[in-house]
């Protein structure tokens, strides 16, 4: 039997919403304070996904204030296709509230935003047979809107409060046969997260709760996938039904830490007596019929293209003048815009950490700059491997504490920086010449979820500067809705990155 492994989109990719057009599926996720916003993926089989762009790729569409807090910005989106047009509706909690954009092609270009003045977050769109557009938001409030002008024509009508869990949210309304099904989540996005359902003959209600709510939850279990919820439904071209949802994979000693953010999982759905039944979500399931593997993508970006690949993101924006692929062709040149990674406004271009075990390396010319690689949860939680003035340093920022934990002289000119992330039970790497690693001081060897090892290559030599406990770059410590992002930065002068390599192991 052919199987697939969960998550189907790993790393910080929460709040998935999916739609199908013919044989093609498209999926979007939340992006919070990062630019560009709302990554969009394509798949033929719901298992293998390729990012084809970002829906909100113009600063004017995104409207992120420069001081938007971490985990502010763009919350859960819904993606739908209706009458030849793609619709993506979401909430910018830091600026404009609920809005939608449309496109003829999922790759874009997407329109300018149309504001929808409905209360709540997690907006959903559904159409009835008369062409009315129904927008449902958290608290399960249903409004009839004009999606082209944003006018609210009726409502909001509060239709169902769920089964009693906190935060009834993530509603999605589906017209299936004679029924309108309201799929929603409750219990909060943490370990008690659950998916429940109700149905009615009309979007306005009255709604009858499902007989087996919650229809999916992992609360109180020792399953490796936790916090399952915020789900969306899709029917594949062969008639089978599937659910995409978010979940986490905590690691380490109690209370356990998740470091990759909330990820996107896929699970089959059965219909029993007119109600969908889903879960539990396994690490491995029988695959959908339309098996369609993708060609392997290179893990290395040589910065040879004219545009940045869609996985590269920056906190709050990427101002013109702060970066260039043209200035030194074949290199990504970064110019400092802020003096510290500890506050918004700095120059950082990174990608999501998508594997518990991975190796990240970058080759840069730091001459005259203060630049390096950083693993970040937010401005108050990051580990940096930095080069400045003939010295490579490892800096840990954990909440209010900032400390340089290691330093090593480096010769002038280009060099390679390397970060290895390993789940905690994997033995440390062997190095050509160990630097000074003070395990007591850095906390490695405890019960954290993983270990981050920071090295610098000069010529043939690799010098390990420090190993740090990964728990301080987890959501349980930092709080919030995002996950680890690893990237290149400069906080003084300008630095040119020749390549960036991300290699994940299962
Ligand atoms: C999102 C809410 C949730 O808006 O977390 O897990 C919030 N669900 O539905 C942020 O992702």
């Amino acid at each position: 039997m052919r199987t697939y492994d969960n998550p189907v989109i790993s790393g910080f990719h929460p709040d998935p919403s999916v739609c199908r057009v013919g044989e093609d599926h498209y999926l979007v996720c939340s992006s919070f304070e990062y630019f560009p916003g709302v990554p969009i993926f394509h798949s033929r089989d719901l298992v293998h996904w390729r990012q084809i762009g970002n829906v909100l790729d113009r600063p004017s569409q995104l409207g992120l204030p420069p001081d938007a807090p971490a985990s502010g910005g763009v919350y859960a989106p819904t993606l739908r296709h209706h009458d030849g047009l793609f619709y993506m509706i979401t909430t910018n909690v830091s600026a404009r509230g609920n809005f939608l954009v449309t496109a003829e092609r999922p790759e874009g270009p997407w329109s300018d935003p149309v504001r929808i003045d409905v209360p709540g977050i997690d907006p959903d769109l559904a159409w009835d047979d008369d062409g009315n557009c129904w927008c449902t938001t958290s608290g399960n409030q249903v409004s009839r809107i004009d999606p082209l002008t944003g006018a609210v024509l009726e409502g909001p009508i509060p239709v169902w409060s769920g089964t009693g869990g906190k935060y009834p949210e993530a509603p999605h309304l589906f017209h299936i046969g004679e029924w309108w099904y309201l799929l929603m989540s409750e219990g909060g996005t943490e370990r008690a997260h659950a998916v429940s359902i109700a149905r009615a003959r009309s979007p306005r209600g009255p709604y009858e709760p499902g007989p087996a709510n919650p229809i999916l939850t992992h609360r109180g279990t020792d399953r490796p996938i936790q916090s399952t919820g915020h789900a969306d439904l899709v029917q594949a071209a062969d008639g089978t039904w599937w659910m995409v949802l978010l979940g986490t994979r905590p690691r380490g000693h109690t209370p356990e830490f998740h470091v990759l953010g909330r990820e996107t999982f896929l699970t089959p759905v059965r219909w029993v007596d007119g109600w969908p039944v889903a879960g539990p979500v396994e690490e491995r399931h029988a695959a959908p019929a339309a098996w369609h593997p993708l060609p392997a993508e290179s893990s290395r970006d040589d910065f040879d293209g004219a545009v940045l690949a869609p996985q590269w993101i920056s906190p709050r924006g990427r101002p013109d003048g702060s970066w260039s692929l043209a200035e030194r062709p074949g290199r990504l040149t970064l110019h400092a815009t802020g003096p510290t990674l500890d506050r918004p406004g700095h120059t950082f271009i990174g990608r999501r950490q998508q594997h518990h075990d991975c190796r990240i390396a970058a080759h840069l010319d730091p001459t005259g700059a203060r630049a390096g690689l950083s693993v970040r949860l937010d401005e108050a939680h990051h580990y940096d491997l930095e080069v400045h003035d003939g010295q490579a340093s490892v800096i840990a920022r954990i909440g209010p504490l900032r400390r340089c934990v290691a330093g090593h002289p480096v010769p002038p000119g280009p060099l390679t920086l390397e970060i290895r992330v390993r789940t905690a039970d994997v033995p440390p790497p062997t190095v050509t010449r160990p630097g000074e690693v003070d395990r007591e001081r850095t906390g490695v060897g405890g019960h954290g979820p993983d270990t981050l090892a920071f090295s610098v290559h000069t010529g043939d030599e690799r010098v390990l500067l420090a190993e740090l406990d990964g728990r301080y770059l987890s959501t349980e410590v930092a709080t919030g809705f995002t996950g680890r992002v690893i990237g290149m930065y400069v906080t003084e002068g300008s630095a040119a990155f020749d390549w960036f390599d991300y290699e994940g192991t299962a």
Side-chain angles (χ1 to χ4, degrees):
M1 185 179 59
R2 183 171 275 157
T3 59
Y4 72 89
D5 291 332
N6 264 319
V8 290
I9 307 179
S10 59
F12 142 50
H13 291 109
D15 308 323
S17 175
V18 64
C19 73
R20 179 174 65 85
V21 183
E23 306 272 319
D24 299 295
H25 305 92
Y26 300 96
L27 184 148
V28 289
C29 296
S30 308
S31 51
F32 301 97
E33 73 269 31
Y34 287 95
F35 171 88
V38 185
I40 180 163
F41 298 83
H42 169 256
S43 172
R44 296 300 292 261
D45 61 7
L46 293 164
V47 171
H48 303 92
W49 293 94
R50 189 173 64 86
Q51 190 176 348
I52 55 172
N54 293 280
V55 172
L56 304 174
D57 61 1
R58 304 191 296 276
S60 60
Q61 286 173 308
L62 200 52
L64 270 178
D67 58 352
S71 286
V74 174
Y75 274 29
T78 294
L79 183 67
R80 293 292 181 256
H81 187 257
H82 175 74
D83 230 358
L85 214 51
F86 287 91
Y87 291 78
M88 190 286 293
I89 186 166
T90 187
T91 318
N92 180 339
V93 298
S94 303
R96 65 163 77 98
N98 292 307
F99 66 98
L100 64 79
V101 290
T102 57
E104 282 169 22
R105 288 162 22 93
E107 299 85 355
W110 288 80
S111 72
D112 286 334
V114 176
R115 283 198 58 168
I116 317 283
D117 190 14
V118 288
I121 58 169
D122 300 352
D124 172 71
L125 293 175
W127 283 262
D128 66 25
D129 292 340
D130 298 328
N132 295 309
C133 180
W134 297 92
C135 175
T136 312
T137 49
S138 58
N140 300 328
Q141 312 174 72
V142 178
S143 305
R144 189 161 54 86
I145 65 164
D146 179 339
L148 299 181
T149 65
V152 179
L153 308 174
E154 180 184 345
I157 314 164
V159 295
W160 186 46
S161 55
T163 72
K166 70 174 179 179
Y167 307 144
E169 60 188 6
H172 289 299
L173 199 54
F174 304 93
H175 194 191
I176 302 169
E178 297 293 302
W179 293 101
W180 287 84
Y181 288 89
L182 175 59
L183 183 79
M184 52 80 79
S185 291
E186 52 184 329
T189 197
E190 304 83 20
R191 304 294 168 86
H193 215 187
V195 182
S196 295
I197 196 156
R199 70 182 184 188
R201 294 290 184 189
S202 147
R204 298 181 181 89
Y207 282 84
E208 155 201 5
N213 280 326
I215 62 168
L216 187 150
T217 185
H218 284 193
R219 66 189 178 206
T221 69
D222 64 355
R223 293 187 167 278
I225 301 162
Q226 289 289 312
S227 306
T228 49
H230 200 116
D232 198 4
L233 287 176
V234 66
Q235 186 176 27
D238 67 356
T240 53
W241 284 83
W242 299 84
M243 178 182 279
V244 295
L245 71 162
L246 70 75
T248 60
R249 293 183 289 164
R251 296 279 197 275
H253 196 43
T254 185
E256 303 184 332
F257 308 86
H258 72 283
V259 302
L260 301 183
R262 299 168 302 158
E263 309 176 273
T264 287
F265 295 80
L266 176 75
T267 198
V269 173
R270 295 173 290 125
W271 288 83
V272 178
D273 297 332
W275 294 96
V277 177
V281 185
E282 308 285 357
E283 290 177 294
R284 186 160 284 178
H285 282 281
W291 188 251
H292 196 88
L294 297 170
E297 278 182 18
S298 169
S299 66
R300 180 172 165 126
D301 197 330
D302 282 306
F303 304 120
D304 287 334
V307 293
L308 271 180
Q311 74 266 21
W312 292 112
I313 53 175
S314 302
R316 297 175 194 81
R318 194 183 288 156
D320 291 344
S322 69
W323 66 284
S324 169
L325 286 168
E327 214 168 300
R328 291 177 65 179
R331 289 180 166 74
L332 173 64
T333 303
L334 300 184
H335 301 289
T337 51
T340 170
L341 297 185
D342 296 341
R343 281 193 299 279
H346 53 268
T347 301
F348 173 102
I349 296 185
R351 50 157 295 155
R352 291 152 168 94
Q353 182 186 332
Q354 293 192 271
H355 301 78
H356 283 113
D357 293 272
C358 57
R359 173 186 174 272
I360 300 96
H363 190 70
L364 77 156
D365 182 354
T367 309
R370 185 185 289 277
L373 293 179
S374 179
V375 186
R376 83 188 296 274
L377 250 289
D378 57 29
E379 280 72 24
H381 301 86
H382 50 94
Y383 294 161
D384 317 323
L385 174 54
E386 179 168 292
V387 187
H388 175 60
D389 204 13
Q391 177 88 357
S393 313
V394 175
I395 298 146
R397 168 77 203 260
I398 303 168
L401 309 176
R402 183 180 203 279
R403 179 164 177 175
C404 178
V405 297
H408 190 81
V410 290
L415 79 177
T416 299
L417 303 180
E418 183 189 292
I419 302 172
R420 288 191 185 202
V421 188
R422 301 179 322 279
T423 40
D425 53 353
V426 180
T430 45
V431 289
T432 322
R433 182 165 71 76
E436 283 187 16
V437 178
D438 181 340
R439 281 161 187 258
E440 262 176 45
R441 200 176 54 170
T442 56
V444 169
H447 299 288
D450 60 357
T451 297
L452 290 85
F454 299 86
S455 309
V456 57
H457 295 233
T458 57
D460 289 339
E461 196 178 52
R462 175 154 77 90
V463 180
L464 175 66
L465 272 79
E467 285 185 279
L468 298 178
D469 186 326
R471 84 184 68 187
Y472 306 106
L473 304 186
S474 72
T475 298
E476 283 73 7
V477 169
T479 77
F481 293 126
T482 61
R484 281 191 196 155
V485 175
I486 304 178
M488 302 155 279
Y489 72 90
V490 54
T491 50
E492 244 180 76
S494 308
F497 290 81
D498 193 3
W499 48 261
F500 180 104
D501 195 17
Y502 174 98
E503 198 187 313
T505 49

